[in-house]
Coordinates of all heavy atoms in Angstrom, one line a residue:
V62 N 58.8 -68.2 -34.5 CA 57.5 -68.8 -34.4 C 57.6 -70.3 -34.8 O 58.0 -70.6 -35.9 CB 56.5 -68.1 -35.4 CG1 55.1 -68.8 -35.4 CG2 56.3 -66.6 -35.1
H63 N 57.3 -71.1 -33.8 CA 57.3 -72.6 -34.0 C 55.8 -73.1 -34.1 O 55.2 -73.3 -33.1 CB 58.0 -73.3 -32.8 CG 59.4 -72.9 -32.5 ND1 60.4 -73.4 -33.2 CD2 59.9 -71.9 -31.7 CE1 61.5 -72.8 -32.8 NE2 61.2 -71.9 -31.9
A64 N 55.4 -73.2 -35.4 CA 54.0 -73.6 -35.6 C 54.0 -75.1 -35.8 O 54.9 -75.7 -36.4 CB 53.4 -73.0 -36.9
P65 N 53.0 -75.8 -35.2 CA 53.0 -77.3 -35.2 C 52.9 -77.8 -36.6 O 53.4 -78.9 -36.9 CB 51.8 -77.7 -34.4 CG 51.0 -76.5 -34.2 CD 51.9 -75.3 -34.4
E66 N 52.2 -77.1 -37.5 CA 52.1 -77.7 -38.9 C 53.2 -77.3 -39.9 O 53.2 -77.7 -41.0 CB 50.7 -77.2 -39.5 CG 50.6 -75.7 -39.7 CD 50.2 -74.9 -38.5 OE1 49.8 -75.5 -37.4 OE2 50.4 -73.7 -38.5
E67 N 54.1 -76.4 -39.4 CA 55.2 -76.0 -40.3 C 56.5 -76.7 -39.9 O 56.9 -76.7 -38.7 CB 55.4 -74.5 -40.2 CG 54.2 -73.7 -40.7 CD 54.4 -72.2 -40.6 OE1 55.5 -71.8 -40.3 OE2 53.4 -71.5 -40.8
P68 N 57.3 -77.2 -40.8 CA 58.5 -78.0 -40.5 C 59.6 -77.0 -40.0 O 60.4 -77.4 -39.2 CB 58.9 -78.7 -41.8 CG 58.2 -77.9 -42.9 CD 57.0 -77.3 -42.3
K69 N 59.7 -75.8 -40.5 CA 60.7 -74.9 -40.1 C 60.1 -73.7 -39.4 O 59.1 -73.2 -39.8 CB 61.5 -74.4 -41.4 CG 62.3 -75.5 -42.1 CD 62.9 -75.0 -43.4 CE 64.0 -74.0 -43.1 NZ 64.7 -73.5 -44.3
P70 N 60.8 -73.2 -38.4 CA 60.3 -72.0 -37.7 C 60.5 -70.8 -38.5 O 61.4 -70.7 -39.3 CB 61.2 -72.0 -36.4 CG 62.3 -72.8 -36.7 CD 62.0 -73.8 -37.7
R71 N 59.6 -69.8 -38.3 CA 59.8 -68.5 -39.0 C 60.3 -67.5 -38.0 O 60.0 -67.5 -36.8 CB 58.4 -68.0 -39.5 CG 57.8 -68.8 -40.6 CD 56.4 -68.3 -40.9 NE 55.5 -68.8 -39.9 CZ 54.4 -68.2 -39.6 NH1 54.0 -67.0 -40.1 NH2 53.6 -68.7 -38.6

Side-chain angles (χ1 to χ4, degrees):
V62 179
H63 301 277
E66 66 280 344
E67 295 178 13
K69 293 175 67 177
R71 291 177 284 151

